[in-house]
Amino acid sequence: QVQLVESGGGLVQAGGSLRLSCVASERTFSLYTVGWFRQPPGKEREFVAAINWSGTTTYYRDSVKGRFTISRDNAKNAVHLQMNSLKPEDTAVYYCATGRRRVIEMNPAEYDYWGQGTQVTVSS
C-alpha cells in the first residue's frame, strides 16, 4: 500500500506563495498519475491539479490556472504544487492522491491512496 505524506502548508497573506510537497513510500508512485485536491471549510473535496506519470501532461481547475503549477520528481518519489498569488478562497486542507492509473483523473473516487492533508490558510 502506498503511503503519501504532504508538507509545506501554512499561514500566508493574500498574494503570497507556498510550495506543497507530496512524498510517496513506494517507487511505483512514479508510474501513475498524481492529483492534488482540497477541502475548503464546510465544503466538499474538490480537484485542484493533476499530473500524469511522466510529467508531460498536467491539468488544473479553472480558478487556479496561471497561479498554481504541479510538477514531479520521480527520482525522489515526489510531486509538488507551487501556489502563487494566493487568495483567501484558496484556504483549505490540501491532499495529494494517487492510484494505479496513467491518465489524468479529476474525480476523487478514481484515486485509491491519499495523504493526511496539509492546512493552507490565506489571510486577507
Side-chain angles (χ1 to χ4, degrees):
Q1 183 159 345
V2 179
Q3 293 183 333
L4 304 176
V5 178
E6 302 101 334
S7 62
L11 172 64
V12 64
Q13 289 187 334
S17 298
L18 286 173
R19 185 175 187 247
L20 305 185
S21 295
C22 172
V23 178
S25 60
E26 293 187 5
R27 290 289 297 166
T28 54
F29 179 75
S30 65
L31 300 177
Y32 303 114
T33 292
V34 177
W36 281 99
F37 294 79
R38 67 187 182 188
Q39 188 162 13
K43 297 183 179 181
E44 293 186 352
R45 193 168 298 188
E46 61 187 26
F47 171 81
V48 177
I51 188 167
N52 74 332
W53 70 277
S54 62
T56 55
T57 302
T58 58
Y59 198 81
Y60 301 90
R61 71 181 294 112
D62 286 346
S63 62
V64 308
K65 286 180 182 178
R67 300 189 297 122
F68 290 13
T69 302
I70 189 171
S71 62
R72 68 188 303 161
D73 183 346
N74 284 341
K76 297 183 178 180
N77 282 0
V79 171
H80 306 287
L81 185 68
Q82 177 67 43
M83 306 187 296
N84 298 329
S85 302
L86 283 161
K87 304 176 181 181
E89 51 264 42
D90 295 318
T91 294
V93 178
Y94 283 71
Y95 300 88
C96 70
T98 191
R100 304 201 181 281
R101 294 182 180 275
R102 292 167 72 86
V103 296
I104 297 287
E105 297 284 355
M106 293 183 286
N107 183 351
E110 299 295 335
Y111 291 80
D112 302 307
Y113 307 106
W114 292 81
Q116 82 287 352
T118 186
Q119 177 70 47
V120 171
T121 303
V122 184
S123 63
S124 57

